[in-house]
C-alpha cells in the first residue's frame, strides 16, 4: 500500500470521527436545551413565599458566617455560589481547558524554553550514548579476555 493510500485512509477515518463527534455534540446540546426548558417551567410553577421572621434568642450568640449567602429577590431564592464552586465551574469548561493547554504549549515553544528543553534532550541523548558505549566496551572486554602476557607470543608461530 502506498503512502498516498495510507494518508487517504487516515483522512477518511478522521472525517468519520469528526462527523460522529458533531452528531454527539448536537444531541447533547438538544438534551441540555430540553433540560433547561423544563427547569424554567418548573421555576415558573414554583411559588416561593417569604420566610417567616425568626424570633431572636435572648442570649446573643455569635454565629460563624455561613458559606452560602441566601437572598430572596422578587419571590425568587438566590443562593450566591462559594468561591470553590465558581472555580470548579470555570475550570471544567472545555474552552478554559483548551486555553490552559494552549498557554502551556506557547510557553514551551518560546525560544528560551525551547532552547532549555533542547539542551536537556541533548544532554540526555549524550549521556545514554556514553552509557551504551561503556556497556559495549565492558562486554567486549568480558568476551575477548585479557591480552596474552608474553609480549609477541600471540602473533603466531
Amino acid at each position: 500500500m502506498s503512502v498516498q493510500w495510507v494518508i487517504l485512509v487516515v483522512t477518511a477515518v478522521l472525517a468519520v470521527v469528526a462527523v460522529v463527534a458533531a452528531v454527539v455534540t448536537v444531541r447533547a446540546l438538544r438534551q441540555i436545551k430540553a433540560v433547561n426548558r423544563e427547569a424554567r417551567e418548573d421555576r415558573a410553577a414554583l411559588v416561593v413565599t417569604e420566610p417567616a421572621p425568626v424570633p431572636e434568642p435572648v442570649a446573643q450568640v455569635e454565629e460563624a458566617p455561613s458559606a452560602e449567602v441566601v437572598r430572596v429577590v422578587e419571590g425568587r431564592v438566590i443562593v450566591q455560589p462559594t468561591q470553590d464552586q465558581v472555580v470548579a465551574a470555570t475550570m471544567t469548561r472545555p474552552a478554559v481547558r483548551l486555553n490552559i493547554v494552549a498557554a502551556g504549549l506557547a510557553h514551551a515553544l518560546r525560544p528560551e524554553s525551547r532552547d532549555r528543553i533542547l539542551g536537556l534532550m541533548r544532554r540526555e541523548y549524550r549521556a545514554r550514548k556514553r552509557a551504551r558505549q561503556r556497556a559495549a566496551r565492558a562486554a567486549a572486554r568480558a568476551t575477548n579476555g585479557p591480552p596474552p602476557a608474553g609480549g609477541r607470543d600471540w602473533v603466531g608461530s
Side-chain angles (χ1 to χ4, degrees):
M1 186 183 275
S2 69
V3 175
Q4 288 87 6
W5 281 104
V6 171
I7 292 173
L8 180 66
V9 169
V10 169
T11 305
V13 169
L14 287 175
V16 168
V17 168
V19 168
V20 168
V23 168
V24 168
T25 304
V26 168
R27 290 188 68 208
L29 184 62
R30 286 182 182 163
Q31 288 177 349
I32 289 172
K33 285 183 179 179
V35 168
N36 284 343
R37 192 177 318 119
E38 290 174 6
R40 261 189 267 121
E41 292 170 358
D42 290 345
R43 275 186 276 161
L46 180 67
V47 176
V48 177
T49 60
E50 291 289 327
V54 179
E56 298 210 12
V58 176
Q60 294 289 336
V61 178
E62 290 188 26
E63 297 179 12
S66 63
E68 294 181 345
V69 177
V70 180
R71 297 182 312 188
V72 178
V73 176
E74 296 179 5
R76 292 182 147 181
V77 177
I78 298 175
V79 179
Q80 185 175 354
T82 63
Q83 188 73 20
D84 294 337
Q85 290 170 335
V86 171
V87 169
T90 303
M91 297 306 287
T92 56
R93 289 189 172 179
V96 172
R97 287 186 175 186
L98 184 64
N99 283 336
I100 291 171
V101 170
L105 284 175
H107 177 73
L109 293 176
R110 286 185 197 138
E112 59 272 7
S113 298
R114 184 179 61 230
D115 293 344
R116 183 179 53 84
I117 292 169
L118 287 176
L120 290 171
M121 290 171 54
R122 193 178 309 114
R123 281 193 288 276
E124 180 68 21
Y125 173 77
R126 289 178 181 163
R128 288 183 185 216
K129 183 178 177 182
R130 284 193 297 269
R132 282 194 308 271
Q133 289 173 344
R134 277 194 303 269
R137 285 193 294 267
R141 280 193 300 271
T143 56
N144 293 337
R152 295 190 152 241
D153 295 343
W154 61 276
V155 172
S157 9

